[in-house]
Amino acid sequence: MSVLEIRDLHVTVGEGDDTKEILRGVDLTVRSGETHAIMGPNGSGKSTLAYSIAGHPKYTITGGTVTLDGEDVLAMSVDERARAGLFLAMQYPVEVPGVSVSNFLRTAATAIKGEAPKLRTWVKDVKTEMAGLEMDSAFAERNVNEGFSGGEKKRHEILQMRLLKPGIAILDETDSGLDVDALRVVSEGVNRSREDSDVGVLLITHYTRILKYIKPDFVHVFVAGKIVDEGGPELAAKLEDEGYAAYVKPAEVAQA
């Protein structure tokens, strides 16, 4: 069982006169086996939350705590966070020229597990997971994300999650840029992880369409750097019908 606890998290970006507070006191707990959807308009700070948990140097933590199973996440380096069981599927995965997908995946698995996976078993696992994500086997020899379509990049992110088996997976707008078929395949990959492991999922999105495939246990409305409402799947249905207007105006008044 893994428990990610975020308490009163405040985060800024920029320096000096350009410093801007993005997160303004976030409280959230994600446990193994739970799926939490964070929904909100563009610019509300959803991705900032994801990257702050993962340890992106662009963001400065000015207050609050983040713990994983009681351990201080903010005191860990990025690689230590990964080894502790955190995983981030990025909204905009970066290209890594000269490094093949197969080498990247096995190196990552070795770093996280502390030993290289047995080659025969590993090759079989990779092929099985790639087939499940409807990826051609030749994909493994391509350079990481180089020349990939949006759908290929997102499938590769979920392939990593399937093979690395994190305790807590943060999926930052995994649905962005996907057509209907790619969205279905990626969602099925996430659902397989929910079915065959106790992974806790923090799913960040501003569209409800992915929630038709990945059913959340909890929905949190994120506006102006904080959670302003919470509920179950019915809240996502309400947002689909009514949008964020009821939340955005009060938040803007509070900021002013």
Side-chain angles (χ1 to χ4, degrees), residues 12-253:
T12 62
V13 65
E15 298 179 352
D17 294 339
D18 295 326
T19 300
K20 181 180 180 181
E21 187 174 36
I22 305 297
L23 300 187
R24 299 176 171 88
V26 177
D27 291 293
L28 182 65
T29 300
V30 180
R31 298 178 176 85
S32 291
E34 296 178 347
T35 297
H36 293 250
I38 291 190
M39 304 186 67
N42 284 327
S44 58
K46 304 184 302 296
S47 292
T48 295
L49 176 63
Y51 285 105
S52 297
I53 296 169
H56 196 297
K58 174 182 176 181
Y59 303 100
T60 302
I61 311 297
T62 57
T65 61
V66 180
T67 61
L68 180 63
D69 303 332
E71 299 295 323
D72 185 2
V73 169
L74 303 181
M76 299 177 187
S77 61
V78 173
D79 59 305
E80 287 172 339
R81 298 179 198 208
R83 284 196 293 270
L86 286 176
F87 174 82
L88 172 64
M90 294 184 286
Q91 182 179 359
Y92 303 110
V94 298
E95 295 182 2
V96 188
V99 178
S100 70
V101 168
S102 59
N103 285 339
F104 173 81
L105 292 171
R106 193 158 190 260
T107 300
T110 299
I112 287 176
K113 298 175 183 177
E115 60 180 7
K118 294 180 179 179
L119 192 56
R120 181 176 297 178
T121 304
W122 175 253
V123 169
K124 179 181 178 182
D125 289 345
V126 172
K127 287 183 177 180
T128 298
E129 297 302 340
M130 288 180 68
L133 290 165
E134 299 182 15
M135 300 167 71
D136 190 284
S137 58
F139 185 92
E141 301 313 313
R142 296 173 62 183
N143 291 338
V144 174
N145 293 325
E146 192 172 35
F148 287 15
S149 67
E152 287 174 332
K153 288 180 179 179
K154 297 306 175 71
R155 291 178 202 224
H156 181 220
E157 294 289 288
I158 302 306
L159 176 62
Q160 293 172 48
M161 184 182 75
R162 291 291 297 150
L163 293 168
L164 299 178
K165 303 185 185 304
I168 301 291
I170 303 167
L171 310 181
D172 183 23
E173 300 201 22
T174 298
D175 52 336
S176 66
L178 298 183
D179 61 26
V180 174
D181 289 333
L183 179 63
R184 172 188 56 79
V185 170
V186 163
S187 298
E188 287 173 353
V190 175
N191 285 332
R192 281 195 297 277
S193 287
R194 298 200 305 166
E195 292 165 3
D196 61 25
S197 74
D198 288 326
V199 65
V201 176
L202 182 58
L203 176 64
I204 295 172
T205 183
H206 58 264
Y207 295 115
T208 58
R209 62 176 190 158
I210 194 171
L211 302 184
K212 295 176 182 178
Y213 297 93
I214 302 173
K215 302 298 183 184
D217 300 299
F218 306 95
V219 175
H220 311 271
V221 182
F222 207 82
V223 175
K226 62 174 63 178
I227 293 171
V228 297
D229 198 5
E230 298 176 305
E234 73 283 349
L235 181 53
K238 176 185 175 182
L239 292 172
E240 183 173 28
D241 292 338
E242 303 176 9
Y244 299 108
Y247 302 103
V248 172
K249 285 186 177 180
E252 290 175 343
V253 172

